[in-house]
Amino acid sequence: MEEGVSEFSTTIPVWERYLLSIYEAAEYYHIGEKKIRTLIDMYPDSEFVLFVGNKALIKRRQFEEFLNDCSTL
């Protein structure tokens, strides 16, 4: 196992994670990273984004609810 990577973090499938990086969310939802960053900029106080310092993380379930309510992006 790589140094600095916990075994726990590598065994949780993306669809079960609470938080996703922008890269992971882009791959999982088939939305471009640039579009996700734009959504974060448009809705900085929304329920689907969590800022850890300057890093934005996507709350998977809340983002799914946000996408379900959208008709266009």
Side-chain angles (χ1 to χ4, degrees):
M1 180 170 297
E2 294 179 35
E3 188 175 319
V5 176
S6 78
E7 183 178 334
F8 183 71
S9 67
T10 59
T11 60
I12 300 174
V14 172
W15 59 88
E16 291 183 5
R17 292 185 190 167
Y18 183 75
L19 297 170
L20 302 174
S21 68
I22 292 175
Y23 173 77
E24 290 169 334
E27 283 197 346
Y28 185 71
Y29 294 108
H30 302 284
I31 300 172
E33 290 180 49
K34 200 172 193 179
K35 178 54 105 174
I36 292 176
R37 290 181 196 282
T38 301
L39 291 172
I40 291 169
D41 289 341
M42 289 172 60
Y43 305 101
D45 296 328
S46 66
E47 292 289 320
F48 68 82
V49 65
L50 172 70
F51 287 99
V52 179
N54 290 334
K55 182 178 183 179
L57 296 172
I58 304 298
K59 297 177 186 176
R60 186 182 51 82
R61 288 186 184 153
Q62 287 86 342
F63 192 61
E64 287 175 4
E65 291 172 12
F66 172 79
L67 292 176
N68 285 336
D69 294 337
C70 289
S71 57
T72 60
L73 287 179

